[in-house]
Amino acid sequence: MKSKGFTLIEVLAGLAVTSIIIVGLMDLFGKFTIGNIQFCDSTQNILAINRAFDLFERDMNRFSHVRGQIKNDHFSYDTSHDKGNSWIAYEIRNNTIRRIAKEPNSRQGINIILTFDKSASFSYEDNIVTFVIDGFIRSIRIDWSENSGKRKADN
């Protein structure tokens, strides 16, 4: 006599195979989601670092004279030839980069332009200011001799 249905063993075997496939797909989906989140986070970090470099470079278009020494965690400069009231400073403190600016006849303003993960620093050698954020580098040539205020970007 032939049976027209499935036996209990066949149903259980089918459920076991289906369960294994579903667990594998869920694991694959989980790994894909984690990878996507990591990719988005790293892209956001790179875009934020690029914005900080762009702001620094834009500010350097106004460069006229270094104020004090260029230190590992501080760089400031005048933005007008009279060395009076107009200046910009970048300061690295507590995993943040702050921009401090003072325009003529106004109060100074302070903005946090970036919170970085690993490290950030300034350095200066042979008329080149180098700004490093989490391993990304932007170098800008400065010359405050007779061509004060003129600079070239070096990538």
Side-chain angles (χ1 to χ4, degrees):
M1 175 189 235
K2 288 191 172 182
S3 155
K4 293 188 176 185
F6 294 105
T7 65
L8 183 59
I9 293 179
E10 290 172 334
V11 171
L12 290 177
L15 285 174
V17 170
T18 304
S19 297
I20 291 170
I21 292 171
I22 289 175
V23 167
L25 288 174
M26 288 177 59
D27 184 52
L28 184 66
F29 180 73
K31 288 179 181 177
F32 174 77
T33 303
I34 290 171
N36 192 29
I37 290 170
Q38 290 172 342
F39 174 76
C40 289
D41 287 347
S42 66
T43 301
Q44 285 179 332
N45 290 343
I46 290 170
L47 290 173
I49 290 169
N50 198 36
R51 280 192 303 272
F53 282 147
D54 288 346
L55 180 61
F56 181 67
E57 191 168 336
R58 186 198 74 195
D59 284 347
M60 288 300 292
N61 283 327
R62 300 175 54 202
F63 173 85
S64 70
H65 188 271
V66 172
R67 296 173 61 97
Q69 290 183 313
I70 298 174
K71 298 179 181 176
N72 193 34
D73 62 350
H74 186 83
F75 174 62
S76 62
Y77 52 94
D78 291 314
T79 57
S80 61
H81 293 286
D82 63 6
K83 300 175 194 149
N85 300 329
S86 182
W87 54 269
I88 296 173
Y90 280 83
E91 184 177 78
I92 299 167
R93 187 187 304 175
N94 299 331
N95 281 24
T96 61
I97 300 171
R98 298 180 345 149
R99 177 185 181 269
I100 307 160
K102 171 80 170 76
E103 294 296 330
N105 302 321
S106 67
R107 297 185 322 171
Q108 92 179 21
I110 300 173
N111 302 91
I112 294 177
I113 62 169
L114 179 68
T115 300
F116 55 88
D117 293 329
K118 298 174 190 164
S119 66
S121 66
F122 293 101
S123 63
Y124 174 73
E125 188 174 328
D126 297 329
N127 288 344
I128 296 176
V129 174
T130 302
F131 189 15
V132 179
I133 305 171
D134 286 345
F136 296 93
I137 300 171
R138 181 74 50 102
S139 296
I140 298 175
R141 183 178 310 280
I142 58 175
D143 178 12
W144 58 80
S145 58
E146 60 192 50
N147 296 322
S148 186
K150 306 221 176 183
R151 61 128 194 105
K152 297 178 185 175
D154 296 331
N155 292 323

